[in-house]
Amino acid sequence: MDSKYRDRSVLIHGKFRSEKWDFEDHLTPPITTSVTFRLRSAERGAQAFQQFANPDLDRDTLHPIYIYERLDDPCQGLLEETLAFAEKGETAISFATGMAAISAVLGTHLKSGDHIVSHKTIYGCTYGLITTWLSRFGITHTFADFLDIEQIKAAIKPETRVVYFETPCNPTMELIDICAVVDVVRRINESRSEEERIVTIVDNTFATPFCQRPLSCGIDFVVHSLTKNLCGFGTTMGGAVIGPRSMETNLLLFRKDFGGSISPRAAWEILTYGLPTLALRVERQQQSAARIAEFLNLHHKVKLVRYPGLDSFPQVELAKSQMRDIDGNFAPGSMVYFEVKGEGEDALQRARKVIDYLAENALSVTLAVSLGNIRTLVEHPASMTHAVVPPEAQLEAGIAPGGIRLSVGIEDVRDILSDLERALESA
Ligand SMILES: *Cc1c(COP(=O)(O)O)cnc(C)c1O
């Protein structure tokens, strides 16, 4: 797509001439409000059905004949084009939520008897999807520690079809070496037939395509919760799968039949507000996150800070090679994890005090789940987002009772720092 223009410009304008653009003289696309579309003639109606999800046709150059909103609509199409560009993928398929996208990418690749290997620390609902629902369909799983490449090799079985992970991990900010995982899977695939091939999938929600583009490393599919930084304002939900053109038909048919299509209103918001401001927002969040991480690192009530931009970050070399923004600069992102001092119950009570102080007194930091918002959000993973993970598994995953997760927003960083300072002093 329009490779002579840089990412910042294309994220605002999309493609110069898009076949999905159905609105003659509009500068921004209107939100389409029609669920069904006029088909003009029996012949054109038949053509519309013949074109939908047809692997022999190129969605990039074909003007779609819209049929029914669950199948496709102009706002959704424009969003998909720009998302594919942002992740440097061949095609993007949008969904109603991040979980609908993850269900689709797993649902189109796995069948009864297949096996999935996943990193042990993943988003809670993805964990639930794999352990509760996929297992009911006879799809088995192994959770391994992807920081140790040997564990991935050991977990892969003849029936393994998917290798799945997130990086940075939520909430601990551990990084997985994307290229190293690709390399292991590529070697195993060399001796496998096309049907037995393992695909690699990365959930890139934490980093966003601004900070890291896993497809460039050879990953097969990227999934996103568009609800987070790609929307950016916390006003709508969405999801996407970005990957090779060869899987487009299956993903479109899965979406049509399972029904997790994004609404035109949601697609429009992400297209109109989210993507055009992504670079601005993440740059600002990242600048503030770096200052906040440094401040916390020196604070006498803080035991440790995990932020890929800190010199003390255990995987700083990997961070520097893997997390690069659209201009090639180091891009450690907007998420920070830290632990207050103390052990066990004592640390838990202190973390609660810090969070309660913020909830009651702080304008610039809000107690709320979700992330990638223009507002700075704080939460306590051990008792909130990761409460479903049993205590022993939490400790093993590095989720401490005194751990706090921050998603840094675009407020004045001096205000965030003073709110955090007062909250820490109160504990
Ligand atoms: C939020 C999130 C999801 C799920 O996305 P929804 O849009 O809430 O369905 C998946 N993965 C990660 C890493 C997330 O943060």
Side-chain angles (χ1 to χ4, degrees):
M1 186 200 282
D2 300 324
S3 58
K4 69 177 184 290
Y5 290 107
R6 294 186 174 78
D7 289 47
R8 269 169 236 274
S9 310
V10 180
L11 287 174
I12 295 166
H13 291 272
K15 216 170 160 179
F16 187 59
R17 282 199 183 80
S18 168
E19 291 303 322
K20 313 290 182 328
W21 190 271
D22 235 23
F23 327 98
E24 286 296 306
D25 297 316
H26 295 73
L27 182 60
T28 52
I31 305 166
T32 54
T33 54
S34 186
V35 164
T36 192
F37 294 80
R38 197 189 301 277
L39 290 167
R40 295 184 214 162
S41 70
E43 193 196 341
R44 195 157 181 277
Q47 196 190 351
F49 279 88
Q50 190 262 330
Q51 280 188 8
F52 177 73
N54 186 333
D56 300 329
L57 301 173
D58 182 353
R59 263 175 110 223
D60 266 357
T61 52
L62 182 77
H63 184 73
I65 304 174
Y66 295 109
I67 304 170
Y68 185 64
E69 198 177 287
R70 178 156 39 74
L71 275 56
D72 199 3
D73 79 63
C75 290
Q76 188 179 298
L78 291 166
L79 173 68
E80 289 168 348
E81 264 178 3
T82 310
L83 284 171
F85 168 83
E87 280 290 358
K88 311 299 168 221
E90 286 178 9
T91 189
I93 309 294
S94 61
F95 289 90
T97 63
M99 286 318 302
I102 296 168
S103 305
V105 76
L106 295 178
T108 49
H109 282 98
L110 295 165
K111 61 181 189 322
S112 181
D114 289 350
H115 176 250
I116 171 169
V117 175
S118 166
H119 180 54
K120 60 187 167 69
T121 318
I122 51 170
Y123 186 68
C125 301
T126 310
Y127 184 88
L129 173 67
I130 293 172
T131 54
T132 309
W133 302 107
L134 294 185
S135 66
R136 290 208 335 177
F137 297 113
I139 295 159
T140 56
H141 57 267
T142 304
F143 290 111
D145 183 354
F146 279 29
L147 271 76
D148 176 3
I149 291 295
E150 292 307 315
Q151 281 201 30
I152 308 178
K153 283 189 199 158
I156 290 175
K157 305 181 191 188
E159 58 271 28
T160 304
R161 295 291 175 272
V162 166
V163 165
Y164 187 96
F165 62 103
E166 299 165 11
T167 178
C169 296
N170 179 13
T172 55
M173 301 306 293
E174 280 173 329
L175 304 186
I176 313 280
D177 187 334
I178 300 174
C179 295
V181 176
V182 166
D183 196 48
V184 164
V185 173
R186 189 172 281 157
R187 278 166 207 266
I188 293 171
N189 276 340
E190 273 169 12
S191 58
R192 290 191 172 206
S193 69
E194 194 52 35
E195 301 82 70
E196 295 170 330
R197 216 180 139 261
I198 301 169
V199 299
T200 48
I201 303 170
V202 170
D203 180 335
N204 202 28
T205 302
F206 256 48
T208 83
F210 180 82
C211 297
Q212 147 187 305
R213 291 150 305 280
L215 299 178
S216 322
C217 218
I219 287 290
D220 296 304
F221 291 90
V222 159
V223 291
H224 271 290
S225 167
L226 305 177
T227 315
K228 313 296 166 53
N229 236 332
L230 291 175
C231 168
F233 297 85
T235 54
T236 196
M237 304 200 80
V241 178
I242 300 112
R245 175 94 49 204
S246 58
M247 277 305 289
E248 189 176 79
T249 294
N250 273 357
L251 287 164
L252 286 170
L253 294 176
F254 189 98
R255 184 178 71 183
K256 170 176 84 68
D257 297 341
F258 280 80
S261 313
I262 193 168
S263 77
R265 164 100 218 176
W268 179 87
E269 279 191 41
I270 298 163
L271 184 66
T272 308
Y273 300 125
L275 291 175
T277 58
L278 178 72
L280 271 181
R281 285 183 287 109
V282 178
E283 261 166 346
R284 174 61 177 269
Q285 291 168 344
Q286 194 169 257
Q287 247 174 19
S288 298
R291 277 187 65 183
I292 292 164
E294 277 161 24
F295 158 80
L296 291 169
N297 212 19
L298 296 173
H299 200 282
H300 66 105
K301 294 211 170 168
V302 172
K303 181 154 103 188
L304 65 86
V305 184
R306 291 272 182 269
Y307 178 66
L310 279 181
D311 286 340
S312 59
F313 186 69
Q315 299 166 287
V316 68
E317 286 315 313
L318 175 60
K320 281 184 178 158
S321 66
Q322 185 160 287
M323 302 187 78
R324 291 278 162 184
D325 73 16
I326 52 187
D327 295 317
N329 302 312
F330 182 34
S334 54
M335 301 297 297
V336 179
Y337 173 81
F338 67 100
E339 287 174 24
V340 295
K341 277 191 181 153
E343 296 303 321
E345 187 59 25
D346 176 43
L348 175 70
Q349 291 314 327
R350 279 172 190 243
R352 286 219 163 126
K353 269 196 183 159
V354 171
I355 287 174
D356 279 338
Y357 182 93
L358 291 167
E360 280 163 35
N361 304 291
L363 175 77
S364 74
V365 183
T366 306
L367 170 58
V369 299
S370 196
L371 55 108
N373 198 295
I374 52 164
R375 299 162 198 255
T376 298
L377 306 179
V378 68
E379 67 110 6
H380 183 241
S383 67
M384 297 175 193
T385 47
H386 294 69
V388 290
V389 183
E392 320 78 70
Q394 281 195 5
L395 285 182
E396 202 186 313
I399 305 167
I404 294 176
R405 187 184 83 180
L406 272 179
S407 166
V408 177
I410 62 171
E411 299 91 346
D412 192 313
V413 69
R414 292 168 295 188
D415 289 328
I416 307 172
L417 290 170
S418 25
D419 273 336
L420 288 172
E421 169 71 21
R422 281 190 287 264
L424 283 165
E425 288 309 330
S426 79

